[in-house]
Amino acid sequence: MSHGDEKTPAIVSLLAGGIAGAIEAASTYPFEFAKTRVQLREQKGIPTPKNPFKVVLGVYRNEGIRALYKGCSSLVVGSVAKDGIRFLSFDTIKDLFKDPETGTLSPLRSLAAGSASGVVASFVAVTPTERIKTALIDDARTERRFRSGRHAVVTIWRETGIPGLYRGLAGTTLKQATATAFRMGTYNILKDFESRKQIKQSTVTNFANGSVAGIVTTLMTQPFDTIKTRCQSSRGASTVEAFRSIVADYGVKGFWKGTTMRLGRTVLSGGILFTSYEWGVALLNPTFATVKTTILKD
């Protein structure tokens, strides 16, 4: 994302996005864990609480603190790649989407740029890492056949090949396209509005903008997230099978399963992600500017 009139270098977007993704994923993972547990099919006779804190507390009491971070490493690695690529592609694509006459990005073009960058991130990084994370969480409460993230990758690869690692590609890509459109688009729209109103950017405004973007994103994309989770359970399911199973289990309202958990996470994660990204850009820009100047002098 540009800072003022200065374009952020591609390498800075990539690195700052990756760092922000790792910080965001690690710091909010228990909420992601709770949300995923709720979206997966309930075990017979063991209903899942709707309150995310009850889910987290129940898992902590019965399975220990380590269980709450089952699949976390997979998500962190995926978030480094996902958010690095997402910020890089958004910063690149939005320049292509700018009005050629005014050089500005309208709200609709902001959403379109975000959607395109979400598709790129889904294919390159998000789908396989989300598949492993979800499979690990599901497996931990049922069969317990995966010893680690690496073991899950090897097992799924042996059983189903590359298609197994890309289970839920359609649902994930739909989710990423819409989620990135609303998350990056909303944040960019808010920043542009504040720039026109001459509101100074700070940690508080960055966090607030990111949190608002997270709320909008969650409410608009929850059905895609629920379908994706069902597709990426330990044994996997097709998008059609996942859709049918959600309707059979809960009816139409089932597509918004886990909304409370996801909101609890995205309010924090949106603020953390964009604040960390802006910090990363502020720290890395001078470093790379110095390196570039040194190279040009030599």
Side-chain angles (χ1 to χ4, degrees):
M1 293 178 183
S2 58
H3 290 62
D5 295 325
E6 186 181 350
K7 181 180 176 182
T8 305
I11 186 64
V12 173
S13 291
L14 182 67
L15 292 176
I19 292 167
I23 294 171
E24 179 268 328
S27 59
T28 63
Y29 189 76
F31 284 103
E32 175 68 14
F33 178 95
K35 182 267 300 181
T36 303
R37 272 278 176 102
V38 167
Q39 289 177 334
L40 291 164
R41 287 192 128 160
E42 293 176 354
Q43 293 172 282
K44 289 184 178 180
I46 311 177
T48 305
K50 293 182 179 180
N51 187 318
F53 295 101
K54 285 186 178 180
V55 175
V56 171
L57 185 60
V59 172
Y60 171 72
R61 283 175 173 170
N62 298 325
E63 304 172 48
I65 188 70
R66 291 183 63 183
L68 285 172
Y69 285 87
K70 192 77 171 177
C72 181
S73 60
S74 174
L75 185 67
V76 169
V77 170
S79 293
V80 170
K82 173 188 74 176
D83 288 306
I85 292 165
R86 189 158 60 177
F87 277 102
L88 170 61
S89 57
F90 181 74
D91 283 344
T92 303
I93 292 169
K94 78 173 187 177
D95 286 333
L96 300 175
F97 279 41
K98 283 181 179 178
D99 187 291
E101 294 182 2
T102 64
T104 59
L105 202 65
S106 68
L108 189 59
R109 287 172 183 255
S110 286
L111 294 174
S115 180
S117 63
V119 172
V120 173
S122 177
F123 275 90
V124 176
V126 180
T127 300
T129 52
E130 283 282 324
R131 163 67 161 132
I132 297 304
K133 178 215 74 176
T134 305
L136 284 167
I137 292 174
D138 189 28
D139 180 72
R141 71 187 188 124
T142 54
E143 299 176 85
R144 298 178 184 269
R145 65 193 185 113
F146 299 145
R147 296 191 296 272
S148 64
R150 182 177 178 278
H151 182 245
V153 171
V154 172
T155 303
I156 293 170
W157 178 280
R158 284 175 179 169
E159 291 176 353
T160 53
I162 291 178
L165 293 173
Y166 274 82
R167 278 281 190 181
L169 176 62
T172 304
T173 302
L174 279 171
K175 179 206 165 188
Q176 284 300 311
T178 50
T180 309
F182 285 109
R183 175 170 272 196
M184 305 297 256
T186 300
Y187 185 81
N188 203 63
I189 289 165
L190 290 171
K191 275 192 73 175
D192 286 346
F193 173 79
E194 290 162 355
S195 178
R196 289 195 300 272
K197 296 294 183 180
Q198 296 185 327
I199 298 172
K200 186 178 179 181
Q201 293 297 299
S202 66
T203 298
V204 173
T205 56
N206 291 336
F207 194 95
N209 291 344
S211 295
V212 171
I215 292 169
V216 172
T217 302
T218 298
L219 295 176
M220 298 300 292
T221 65
Q222 188 61 28
F224 299 127
D225 188 70
T226 306
I227 292 170
K228 174 198 72 68
T229 297
R230 284 288 179 94
C231 287
Q232 295 179 331
S233 58
S234 60
R235 290 293 180 180
S238 69
T239 301
V240 174
E241 288 169 343
F243 184 94
R244 287 175 176 170
S245 71
I246 293 166
V247 173
D249 288 348
Y250 307 111
V252 175
K253 66 180 182 180
F255 291 104
W256 274 268
K257 267 277 187 182
T259 298
T260 304
M261 279 79 166
R262 196 164 168 233
L263 273 174
R265 179 175 182 254
T266 53
V267 168
L268 289 173
S269 70
I272 292 169
L273 179 70
F274 286 104
T275 302
S276 299
Y277 175 77
E278 299 289 358
W279 283 348
V281 169
L283 289 170
L284 293 171
N285 254 337
T287 302
F288 281 95
T290 302
V291 172
K292 184 177 180 181
T293 303
T294 305
I295 292 172
L296 288 174
K297 284 181 179 179
D298 293 340

